[in-house]
Amino acid sequence: KHLLWQGPFISLSRKFLKEEGLLTLVHENVITPQTAKIFTNLPAIWKHQELSIKNIHNNVNSLIATGTGSGKTEAFLIPIIDYCFKTKHKPGTKAIILYPMNALANDQAKRLRQILKGTGITFGKYTGETQETVNTDEREVQEEMLSRTEMQENPPNILITNYSMLEYLLIRNEDQQIFKHNELKFLVLDEIHSYTGAKGAEIGCLVR
């Protein structure tokens, strides 16, 4: 009689460990005050976020695996944006963030519009939906690059794309211009658990 269903189960989740906040990382010279100012909505950060930020700051390859809604995105965005602040004098793409679906890439672009407005740190979303040229009047924030031509001519500091498009960017002559400054430092695979089987093997080859 218990073959198809069983009684209810109760699962208790422990709270994440909190740290003092981003100002502590400023005092430790891990991030700049400009970066902390952007994330004023984080009066305190979780312990796993602090460890991730410090590891990435120290050039340690990191895998962030934690619960839903526990700030995984901030854990890699904060050190990336901080590095972009520190190297604003150097043009070029410094971070690539890969998403398995365009919907997730669109969400990240929307988030960066809010975070990077007025910072001078540029970003762009390059997917199959990205047009060759776009009327600049459609630009909501000056930091966002909207068209393929614009990103080829003036590569954004942070590039959002998917693994299929990244393969094209590496082999098409016109798109290789995005990497002409040779400033790439970060490669982020968000939702990495979705890259399994043949797709995971493809991603491995692409990264190498």
Side-chain angles (χ1 to χ4, degrees), residues 133-191:
T133 58
V134 175
N135 187 340
T136 55
D137 293 339
E138 298 179 18
R139 199 189 313 273
E140 294 182 29
V141 296
Q142 291 301 311
E143 286 76 9
E144 183 176 16
M145 298 184 175
L146 300 175
S147 70
R148 299 187 178 198
T149 300
E150 187 176 22
M151 284 184 265
Q152 291 160 1
E153 294 175 352
N154 187 18
N157 299 143
I158 301 174
L159 179 68
I160 303 168
T161 186
N162 55 61
Y163 76 95
S164 296
M165 183 57 70
L166 180 58
E167 187 171 354
Y168 286 121
L169 297 182
L170 293 173
I171 61 176
R172 292 192 301 216
N173 289 333
E174 62 271 25
D175 288 327
Q176 288 178 7
Q177 295 301 308
I178 293 176
F179 309 106
K180 61 187 175 184
H181 296 288
N182 198 28
E183 288 291 332
L184 184 63
K185 182 176 176 65
F186 302 100
L187 175 63
V188 178
L189 279 73
D190 207 351
E191 305 291 339

Side-chain angles (χ1 to χ4, degrees), residues 74-154:
E74 287 80 6
F76 64 77
L77 262 190
I78 289 173
I80 287 175
I81 291 174
D82 188 69
Y83 179 80
C84 290
F85 268 126
K86 292 173 181 174
T87 58
K88 282 182 76 171
H89 60 288
K90 295 181 179 181
T93 297
K94 297 157 188 177
I96 297 175
I97 307 178
L98 293 183
Y99 287 95
M101 295 183 294
N102 284 347
L104 295 173
N106 294 338
D107 287 343
Q108 186 65 278
K110 182 179 179 181
R111 188 174 199 167
L112 290 181
R113 284 186 203 111
Q114 300 170 338
I115 294 174
L116 297 181
K117 183 177 181 180
T119 63
I121 297 174
T122 57
F123 67 97
K125 182 195 67 172
Y126 200 129
T127 66
E129 300 171 353
T130 306
Q131 299 180 27
E132 197 67 33
T133 58
V134 175
N135 187 340
T136 55
D137 293 339
E138 298 179 18
R139 199 189 313 273
E140 294 182 29
V141 296
Q142 291 301 311
E143 286 76 9
E144 183 176 16
M145 298 184 175
L146 300 175
S147 70
R148 299 187 178 198
T149 300
E150 187 176 22
M151 284 184 265
Q152 291 160 1
E153 294 175 352
N154 187 18

Side-chain angles (χ1 to χ4, degrees), residues 22 31-40 78-79 81-83 85:
L22 291 179
I31 64 173
T32 61
Q34 297 101 310
T35 304
K37 188 176 181 181
I38 288 178
F39 294 93
T40 51
I78 289 173
I81 291 174
D82 188 69
Y83 179 80
F85 268 126

Side-chain angles (χ1 to χ4, degrees), residues 53-80:
I53 293 168
K54 286 183 175 180
N55 281 342
I56 297 171
H57 169 76
N58 291 322
N59 299 316
V60 177
N61 291 330
S62 302
L63 177 64
I64 305 168
T66 181
T68 301
S70 60
K72 289 187 288 290
T73 301
E74 287 80 6
F76 64 77
L77 262 190
I78 289 173
I80 287 175

